[in-house]
Each structure stands twice: as structure tokens, then as C-alpha cells.
Amino acid sequence: MGVLGGAWDWLADGANWAGENGVWHRLAEHVYVSGIALAVACAVALPLGLWLGHLGKGGTLAVNVSNAGRAVPVFAVLALFMVSPLRSAGYLPTVTALVLFAIPPLLTNAYVGMREVDRSVVEAARGMGMSGTQLFLRVELPLARGLVMTGLRSGAVQVIATATIAAMVGQGGLGRIITTGFNTYNTPQVVAGAVLVALLALLVEGALVAADRLLPRHPSAAR
Amino acid sequence: MDGRNCLVDNDWFCWEYVTSRSRELADATVQHVWITAVSVLIGLAVSVPLALLARRGRRWAAPVLGLTTLLYTIPSLAMFSLLLPFFGLSAALVVTGLVLYSLTILVRNVMAGLAAVPEDVREAARGMGYGPGRLLWQVELPLALPALLAGVRIATVSTVALTTVGSIVGKGGLGNLIAPAVNSSFKAQVLTASVLCVLLALVADLLLLGVQRLLTPWTRAGRARKAATSDVPVPVPAEGA
């Protein structure tokens, strides 16, 4: 295929990697924005989801946040931010949108993970005289870990995808390589940018799967 | 019209925008609806055979589930761009991308639905002389409907949202109105198109809920409790957006 060869040539050309619009700078922007957003989203959503799950309250909230997150287009939210005063606040509009869309999978999975811990195990732990904190730290959290990690992966994938769409409203990130390619009718560049974005997403997903496997497991969580 | 024009003032809410551009808004909405509908229908038509293939055993299930999950990981802008050499700037490009995304949700839900058919029901049908084809169409698929339709609802809502990204090739329904309005800072147009998008997703979800109730009246007895659990997404990798 001519286009695929062209995309390869584009990627092989060192000039496309250097400078303000080069791959390295765009990649750095993408990773920077995504990293901050994921950290903020985790700091907000994980404690809240785990706590609600521990209490067994707020299930409708967790579910509705997730459903609402699905119905709202990322592109629309980014566009709304970019026509608001936020537009002149650097990376802030992107980061805010990324945080908003990373929260639903994190919150819902943390909540569902806590709720799906076998009730009889929880009862048994209570019967052994465990306090609420002990129960949370030594029983519920280790058992909920699988779904919490799934939520983290979903959140990360969502963040990478949203950061790409940010390019459509003129923000930085790897998506800019794609949008610039569209604006200049340069199909090889569009495809090269898409390959880079897809690789980044797959790499992050793969790294999180590997991290989940490598991290030591609580002995009681072996199921 | 009290001497003040909201279009000139670039207000967020502007009824005059809605009335003066109603034609444009209607056209974009129609495009949005048909792209979404076609994508979900094709996705459904593809996911049923894939789910049937996947339940033949682990040898098929692993690649089918692995591949559909992998597709979900790819950001939508990249997905549409990767399809560009094959489809050019066309609606087929957007539909193909959306179909690929819908597979992740639909295949899983069709599989879950088929797995939920009680084995003794299958036995009884076979005992009555049902062949594999008739068993599938008249027994298994109808019994799999609740899970299948739950999947269609989730897929439709996320497809409505994802369609907007199609504006990168000029086929994004309401997204086509958002893209130029960002460049010109046209607040009313961005807000109106965004609100219409969310409304479209809500209306589609409610309509499908109605369809679900009409087609599966037997699930209503235990609905109160079921609804609470079935709305929790099967931990699918989040919206590919």
C-alpha cells in the first residue's frame, strides 16, 4: 500500500520528530497532560468509590455517573471549554476534560469491586472481631483489587483517547500530528500519527496489565 | 427582539440561533441519527455470529474477546484516521469505526445472554426435535434478548457520543457543527449542538428501554432488583472515545 509506505517514510524522517510540532514534543505533551489528569482522577474517584462501596451506599450515584459519562461526547465537552474563558488557560481545559472522563470508570469499578466481595467473607471477618478499618484494609481492598485495576486501565485508556481528541479543538498532544495531516491533505502523516497514538494506547494498557501481574498479591486474594 | 441580538452578543443561550439555523441543525441531527443507527445495526449483525463462534470453546473465545478488547483501546481519532486510506473522506469510514467499537460491548453481551439460557431448556427443545438453527432462532436468541438489548442500549449511547469525532472527516452529525464553531468561538452553536447530542443519547436510551420492555415482558417480575445490577457495566474497558 502506497499510503502505508508513505506513513513509514514519514516516521523514518528525523525532521518530523524534532521541534515544536515534532513527535517528541507532542508525545511529551500527551504524556504530561494524561499523567496529571489520571493522578487527579485517581485521587478523587478511588477513595470515594472504595468508601461508598465499603459503606454499601451510593450505588445509584456510581452507576449514574458511569452512564452519564458514556452519553456525553468528549469532543463536545472539550469544545465547550475552548469557547469558555478556560481557553486561555494553557493545558487546563484539556486536563479538566480528561479528569472528568477518567472518573466514571475509576469510580464505578472501585464501587462494584467492593460490593462484589463475597458477603459471607465479610460476615466471617466481622465475626472474627475485625473493625471497619481492618475489614476494609485486610479483606475488602485485596479482594476488590481486580476490578479496581480494571477501572484504572479503563481510566488510562480513556485519558489517552481524550487527550488525542483535544487536538481537534487546537490543544496539544499527539493528536495534533493527525489533525495537521488532515489540514494539509497529507494522508501518510495522518496514518503515521494514528499509528503513534494507537501504539501509545496499547503500550499503556500493556504496561498496566504487566504491573497488575507483577505486583505482589495478598495471600487471601488468591481466587 | 428588544433591541438586543443574542447572535451578535455571542451568548451561550440563543433561541434566535435555534430558529434561524433550524435547517442546519435538523440536517446534522438526521445525519447523526442514521450514522448511529446503521453502525449499531451492523455491529449487532456482526456480533451475533462472532459470539456464536466464541462460544464454541476457548480456542475461539480468546481471539474474539482479545481482538474486540484491543480495538476498544485504540482512541477514536486514531481509529478513524487509520481507516482513511481504505475509505477516504466518507460516512463509510465513520460507520466502520463505530461498528468496530460497538463489537466490544455487543459481543460480550450476546455471549452473556446465550450463556444464561438454562441447559435444561436447550435439552427440552432438542428433545422436541429442534435442530441447531431452530434452537438458536426460536429458543436461545429470544431468551438471550434481555442481555442482548442491554448491550444494544450501552452501545447506542456510546455510539451517539463517538459519532461527533467523525467531524474530522466531515461526517460527524452534530459534531460537524461543533468543529467550526470552536474556531469562530460561536458559543450558542457549540452549546446547542452539544445539548442536542446528549438529548439524542437520552432519547435513544429511553426508546430502547421501551423496546426492551415490549420484547421481554417476562423479565419485569424481578425488574426492580435486576435493573440495578444489569445497569452496572460488565467491567468493559471504558468508552473508547
Side-chain angles (χ1 to χ4, degrees), chain B residues 38-58:
Chain B
V38 169
S39 304
V40 174
L41 285 175
I42 297 180
L44 193 59
V46 176
S47 61
V48 172
L50 277 179
L52 290 174
L53 190 69
R55 74 164 178 173
R56 300 192 126 194
R58 281 188 71 88

Side-chain angles (χ1 to χ4, degrees), chain A residues 85-184:
Chain A
L86 268 181
R87 64 151 56 228
S88 44
Y91 291 122
L92 195 61
T94 314
V95 174
T96 315
L98 296 179
V99 170
L100 287 180
F101 283 96
I103 284 178
L106 288 166
L107 185 69
T108 310
N109 278 286
Y111 177 83
V112 175
M114 291 295 276
R115 292 318 295 159
E116 288 203 339
V117 173
D118 194 340
R119 285 300 104 189
S120 58
V121 175
V122 174
E123 291 303 315
R126 282 233 172 79
M128 283 167 65
M130 278 195 184
S131 69
T133 321
Q134 284 176 320
L135 178 73
F136 174 72
L137 286 177
R138 290 164 63 180
V139 179
E140 290 177 314
L141 197 55
L143 287 174
R145 179 196 149 143
L147 274 183
V148 173
M149 280 306 290
T150 306
L152 188 63
R153 291 213 319 265
S154 306
V157 166
Q158 176 72 44
V159 158
I160 303 270
T162 311
T164 314
I165 294 180
M168 290 174 72
V169 296
Q171 289 273 301
L174 274 182
R176 279 295 276 275
I177 296 172
I178 298 176
T179 51
T180 309
F182 268 109
N183 292 337
T184 54

